Amino acid sequence: MISHARLLELAREYGTPLFVYDGDMVLERYRDLFRFIPCEKLRICYAMKANYNPALLTLLRDAGAGLDTVSPGEVLYALKLGFPRERIIYTANNMTDAEFEQVLALGVTMNIGSLSRLAKIAKHHPGIRICLRFNPDVCDGDSEKTMTGGDLTKFGILLDAVDEVRRLVREGNLRVIGLHEHTGSGLQHAESVYRSMANLMAIATPENFPDLEFLDFGGGFKVPYKPDEKRIDYVSMGAEIARRFEAFTAKYGRKLDMYFEPGKYMVAEAGYLLVEVNTLKRNRTRLIAGCNSGFPQLIRPVLYNAYHQIWNLSNPCGTPQVYDVCGNICETGDRFAEQRELPEIREYDILAIGNAGAYCYSMGGVYNLRPMPGEVILHDGKVFAAHRGLTSEELADRILEENRFK
Ligand code: LLP
């Protein structure tokens, strides 16, 4: 946990907007999973799409984490950061032939989520080792846009297609070393995790897939976003997961590795976006606090209607009032919070937006040509790494350079 006083200090030192991450919390989350899930062959492949900050990734690399990657860019970046290829799994969707060849040549495990790709592999790459992504047929997640199970989504091979899968695997003499499913992000019910596991384990028989080395149950572990939201009891969930997996491996006849690919759980709560309020305005019924960041820098409220907690660091004891906390982008939807009660906000106050560690910077962009904020990573109580982001002038020059147009 980073104290509010420390956040204010960092805002002063580095300026705002600024992302701040607690590296120690990320490491703690990683280690906690091994405590929660008592399975001797557990591997955690952090979903780096949640936050690809290189300093955070370095901490996780040194702690022994693996990675879930989803594009050739992520794979190359991970290798450049020194992650061993054996610790990386590649789960692209709708990849091109060129992407497939590129990642195959890099030597990481490919997770294949469509019959069409499987047929191409059987034809052109007989004998290779692959993982197969199935659609667990369970719908859960924190928003409609983040549920990945069920046949209304584009993900994975349907469980019903297992015979067709077996035919293609035989045809290409492929070695299926892993099976994978991912149910969604921010899973609301422990029961969904168990059901998805059960559905995947049901097809993971030695008759169907004799060469299995691991089962990968994806990510999706939820963390609270609202102040009154209950924390999931991961101790009992972890014990149940381990128990079910052990029963499965006993039946399968061999001990297999169990993979999970958490993103949000590992980094969401470790991050804050610090912004400064520069304009207060009353528009008849609405009190508007306008600040120096906007939805391209933290898009979750706009995209998923997500709730992110906000603290007024500069005036924590101010008389509560109800605000729309808005950004600096020329769009009406550019709000971090609507009708939110907060301690009185004055111009130049610093606000901290919580749970900004996952899917905030990584989903960011430079719409309206506002550069992405800097990032500071704390570790062992000290600043472990920091960058200030680009200035507006550097951003302008970079775009002109990229376009070779000056
Ligand atoms: N594995 C696979 C194959 C995935 O597609 C994902 C997330 C994960 C693991 C990690 O899921 P997590 O543990 O982070 O829930 N942008 C959205 C979340 C999208 C998740 C996409 N896939 C959000 O901000 O809520």
Side-chain angles (χ1 to χ4, degrees):
M1 248 335 219
I2 309 173
S3 74
H4 286 184
R6 187 74 194 276
L7 289 175
L8 264 181
E9 243 172 64
L10 291 168
R12 252 179 249 123
E13 190 178 339
Y14 291 89
T16 57
L18 181 73
F19 281 95
V20 180
Y21 309 121
D22 180 351
D24 296 316
M25 183 188 277
V26 174
L27 287 174
E28 197 180 301
R29 288 296 159 93
Y30 173 70
R31 295 192 183 115
D32 276 351
L33 287 168
F34 289 88
R35 252 188 335 108
F36 296 155
I37 309 174
C39 166
E40 53 175 308
K41 287 165 78 77
L42 176 67
R43 173 159 282 293
I44 298 300
C45 292
Y46 164 62
M48 64 178 281
K49 63 173 88 68
N51 188 326
Y52 59 83
N53 180 279
L56 280 185
L57 284 174
T58 309
L59 291 176
L60 287 169
R61 178 199 66 199
D62 293 347
L67 289 179
D68 158 46
T69 58
V70 291
S71 69
E74 283 195 352
V75 177
L76 288 165
Y77 181 77
L79 291 172
K80 282 178 200 281
L81 272 174
F83 277 86
R85 61 197 74 237
E86 319 76 69
R87 281 203 232 151
I88 303 174
I89 177 153
Y90 177 65
T91 301
N93 67 89
N94 303 333
M95 67 182 137
T96 64
D97 295 345
E99 283 170 348
F100 176 81
E101 298 294 342
Q102 185 183 7
V103 178
L104 183 69
L106 293 172
V108 308
T109 302
M110 311 277 284
N111 186 19
I112 304 304
S114 76
L115 287 173
S116 129
R117 176 57 57 191
L118 183 60
K120 286 177 202 155
I121 296 172
K123 187 153 170 218
H124 302 298
H125 296 279
I128 69 167
R129 291 153 56 90
I130 50 164
C131 174
L132 294 175
R133 177 177 187 168
F134 281 90
N135 182 321
D137 243 344
V138 173
C139 290
D140 197 351
D142 55 13
S143 92
E144 208 178 292
K145 291 193 176 77
T146 57
M147 299 180 180
T148 41
D151 52 13
L152 296 182
T153 78
K154 63 178 176 169
F155 295 103
I157 299 169
L158 291 181
L159 295 163
D160 325 338
V162 71
D163 290 339
E164 174 67 358
V165 166
R166 279 182 66 169
R167 194 184 62 72
L168 290 169
V169 165
R170 213 177 315 115
E171 208 173 281
N173 193 24
L174 301 171
R175 269 177 80 87
V176 178
I177 58 163
L179 298 184
H180 171 279
E181 64 83 13
H182 172 68
T183 307
S185 190
L187 301 173
Q188 305 294 303
H189 311 285
E191 206 45 51
S192 306
V193 176
Y194 309 147
R195 272 177 43 225
S196 288
M197 285 181 72
N199 288 353
L200 192 69
M201 292 186 304
I203 59 159
T205 59
E207 296 71 43
N208 282 341
F209 303 106
D211 301 321
L212 290 180
E213 293 170 12
F214 67 90
L215 292 192
D216 183 335
F217 299 110
F221 295 135
K222 159 186 147 70
V223 294
Y225 276 75
K226 295 190 175 147
D228 54 354
E229 206 172 325
K230 270 218 338 246
R231 198 167 275 280
I232 290 214
D233 175 4
Y234 283 115
V235 174
S236 58
M237 192 205 247
E240 190 57 31
I241 286 173
R243 194 186 63 70
R244 289 169 186 244
F245 191 68
E246 210 161 292
F248 158 75
T249 51
K251 228 164 91 196
Y252 188 77
R254 201 170 63 237
K255 282 214 178 341
L256 302 184
D257 290 344
M258 170 162 53
Y259 289 16
F260 279 98
E261 304 169 339
K264 224 171 240 181
Y265 175 80
M266 304 263 289
V267 289
E269 292 170 284
Y272 298 86
L273 174 61
L274 307 182
V275 303
E276 185 183 81
V277 173
N278 51 48
T279 311
L280 282 170
K281 185 183 272 194
R282 183 174 281 286
N283 275 358
R284 292 204 189 103
T285 58
R286 298 259 161 146
L287 192 51
I288 293 166
C291 57
N292 64 348
S293 173
F295 76 82
Q297 303 181 353
L298 193 149
I299 201 171
R300 300 191 74 261
V302 173
L303 193 58
Y304 309 120
N305 211 11
Y307 183 103
H308 283 253
Q309 221 177 322
I310 298 180
W311 295 272
N312 183 351
L313 301 181
S314 309
N315 192 24
C317 301
T319 312
Q321 302 198 44
V322 176
Y323 295 93
D324 281 0
V325 180
C326 295
N328 53 6
I329 296 299
C330 299
E331 290 209 25
T332 304
D334 181 30
R335 283 190 203 100
F336 292 124
E338 201 175 348
Q339 295 298 281
R340 180 79 58 88
E341 191 173 277
L342 290 167
E344 186 194 352
I345 299 176
R346 304 150 312 177
E347 290 185 354
Y348 306 108
D349 277 357
I350 303 290
L351 309 182
I353 306 179
N355 277 19
Y359 304 107
C360 293
Y361 192 99
S362 68
M363 290 178 76
V366 295
Y367 182 46
N368 280 201
L369 296 199
R370 291 192 176 275
M372 284 298 289
E375 294 174 289
V376 174
I377 293 86
L378 301 180
H379 174 40
D380 276 343
K382 292 189 277 293
V383 172
F384 174 66
H387 74 89
R388 286 176 191 271
L390 300 180
T391 63
S392 295
E393 179 147 18
E394 286 164 344
L395 176 62
D397 283 340
R398 185 171 285 197
I399 295 165
L400 291 170
E401 264 159 41
E402 271 170 16
N403 287 277
R404 296 182 212 296
F405 193 88
K406 264 201 178 166

